[in-house]
Amino acid sequence: MALSDLPRRALTAVIFGAVMLGGMLWSRYSFAALVFIINAGSLYEYLRLVKKHQQYTPLQARTTSRVTLLLGCLFHASVWYALNDAFVGLIAVLIIPFILLVFITDLMMNTTMKWKNALLNAGGLVYVSLFLFCFYVLVAPPFYLGAANTEPWYPQFASIPLGIVLLVWANDTFAYFAGSLLGKHRIAPEISPKKSWEGFAGGLVFALVTAYVLSGFYFSLNPVQWMVVASLVVVFGTLGDFFESWLKRQAGVKDSGSLMPGHGGFLDRFDALIFCLPFVTIYLMFS
């Protein structure tokens, strides 16, 4: 990274952080709106990345991308009607008919790669829309036994999603610094040349420290649970980074988008968060 680019990256990071924290902490509806926007932007970029491996005419490509994007947005918009409902998690089953609609749309197209096209498009609904949906499950009333909807959004409901985001940021930041200063042993250079085991260790250590600090402020989880969540964030967040890097390499691009100057697009910013969310949610649901 050139030093001349540092001020632009820093300003973008500050604005990004402010929008994220404001959306997460203001109310349950600003939180839902924030997740909706992340879903729409990330799904749009995913569909652009996989387009190279699909066979469409220009009109078919536009049609299937718009249908898939619309269905992903409708899936998340449906949460608005049940955000105060104890059964918000059941909305997840809507992904099944939405995936079927994606397959029907693709199978109706006159192409020689119908199933591959459909699988790649439906994969976006699972990888982006369903994974991000886990955020809503984490703030649903049944997740907080005895918590009433009249209780303050923050910290009662927002603490766990906020903690997950802070853990992702802590891991990303200190993995970068540790890898830059100490990195010698690359994890998977053919996919992501800059990621090292030293960076992974640095991110893990600081994420665990951050988790311990969070346990002193947010009591929705006990210290051990926060530590386990931090470990899941680091492991599966790193896998999410690799998966998105692999998608970009397959598409032959450096960034998934250009929304944030110096930081890339939605997937570049949210790849780790998206990938770790279902694993953290499953752990917390059964712990």
Side-chain angles (χ1 to χ4, degrees), residues 35 42 79 185:
V35 178
S42 299
V79 178
H185 302 88

Side-chain angles (χ1 to χ4, degrees), residues 42-114:
S42 299
L43 184 56
Y44 172 76
E45 290 182 356
Y46 167 85
L47 293 171
R48 289 182 60 194
L49 290 176
V50 300
K51 188 183 300 183
K52 180 180 178 181
H53 301 283
Q54 296 174 307
Q55 184 196 63
Y56 291 124
T57 65
L59 177 59
Q60 289 173 337
R62 289 194 298 270
T63 300
T64 55
S65 292
R66 289 171 182 174
V67 168
T68 305
L69 184 60
L70 175 63
L71 291 173
C73 290
L74 286 175
F75 176 59
H76 274 250
S78 63
V79 178
W80 286 70
Y81 296 97
L83 205 57
N84 293 312
D85 197 319
F87 301 101
V88 64
L90 294 180
I91 293 177
V93 300
L94 284 177
I95 201 71
I96 298 173
F98 285 176
I99 287 174
L100 291 176
L101 285 173
V102 169
F103 270 90
I104 291 170
T105 302
D106 269 302
L107 294 178
M108 290 174 61
M109 297 288 177
N110 184 24
T111 70
T112 59
M113 297 172 57
K114 294 180 180 182

